[in-house]
Amino acid sequence: MTFAASVFAALSIATSATASSEPPPPPALQALVVSSDYQANIARLFSQLPAPVLQRCPSLISKGSTVTMIEPVSFAPDGYPTSGLWEQSFPVSGCGNDTTINFFFRAQSDEKITSIVGVPGETHADVILQSDAVGMMATAVKAAAPNCEQITVQDSKYLGPVGKSHKAWQESWLLAVCARPTHITLTFTPDDTGTKILVSPVKQMP
């Protein structure tokens, strides 16, 4: 089993799944997430997070994680996954930026696992929507701050449903735009063709 990382952008990490309203992952997946190779990959992913997302300090803590299976996970006889998608979320706190670190993992037929660093926080967007939203957000911010090359999504808050159908929802994303905190609002509206994303205007920055 090998890991490859894809990023949209001294910590003791607990990788055992905590209780949640989601059904528990299958036993084979539970065994995988506590394996030494998997935990080493988690530690590597955490080490690569930029400072605006994961602020380090002596009081930084992460009390366990939640594993959510998004697509059914199949396993080879040797116990390694060969298909499927799951998310693992780690609440972190103690350093002034309490949030949830979200990682996605996609298993492949050759027993390789692709690791995807998702948007931190409470976003309800799936992994594809997150990628689309990050691209649209970056375009809007660069138009307002053309001299800034460092744009990081620091946190996200779910604001709730909007509209009569309650299918659409809004989120507030906290960005670090060249170290300047900036909030934007995103509206996600599902329809027959997919989900439309509307990014709120960003004020011009020097």
Side-chain angles (χ1 to χ4, degrees):
M1 176 177 59
T2 58
F3 292 87
S6 173
V7 181
F8 287 171
L11 173 64
S12 176
I13 305 164
T15 57
S16 58
T18 58
S20 75
S21 59
E22 298 289 339
L29 185 55
Q30 294 184 46
L32 174 69
V33 301
V34 297
S35 67
S36 58
D37 286 347
Y38 188 94
Q39 291 191 43
N41 183 55
I42 291 290
R44 179 180 62 85
L45 293 171
F46 265 94
S47 71
Q48 294 175 349
L49 293 174
V53 175
L54 182 66
Q55 298 180 15
R56 281 93 169 164
C57 72
S59 58
L60 177 63
I61 58 173
S62 175
K63 296 182 178 179
S65 65
T66 299
V67 176
T68 304
M69 191 167 62
I70 300 172
E71 298 175 4
V73 182
S74 299
F75 289 84
D78 60 10
Y80 293 144
T82 55
S83 66
L85 175 70
W86 66 96
E87 179 183 13
Q88 190 165 5
S89 299
F90 296 81
V92 294
S93 60
C95 295
N97 181 36
D98 295 0
T99 187
T100 300
I101 305 300
N102 301 306
F103 300 131
F104 294 88
F105 301 94
R106 179 172 291 282
Q108 304 176 62
S109 59
D110 58 1
E111 298 187 3
K112 292 183 179 179
I113 299 176
T114 298
S115 307
I116 303 168
V117 180
V119 170
E122 304 172 356
T123 180
H124 283 207
D126 62 27
V127 64
I128 296 176
L129 274 181
Q130 288 184 29
S131 179
D132 292 344
V134 166
M136 295 179 65
M137 171 276 299
T139 299
V141 172
K142 287 180 179 178
N147 296 322
C148 180
E149 297 295 331
Q150 297 178 340
I151 303 169
T152 303
V153 183
Q154 187 172 345
D155 194 16
S156 63
K157 299 295 184 185
Y158 174 71
L159 302 181
V162 295
K164 295 181 180 179
S165 68
H166 294 289
K167 292 182 179 180
W169 75 94
Q170 283 188 332
E171 298 181 3
S172 175
W173 288 16
L174 173 62
L175 313 178
V177 182
C178 285
R180 290 171 294 185
T182 303
H183 287 88
I184 62 169
T185 301
L186 296 93
T187 303
F188 298 86
T189 306
D191 58 23
D192 294 337
T193 62
T195 301
K196 296 179 180 178
I197 304 171
L198 178 64
V199 180
S200 64
V202 181
K203 293 182 179 180
Q204 195 72 25
M205 302 178 189

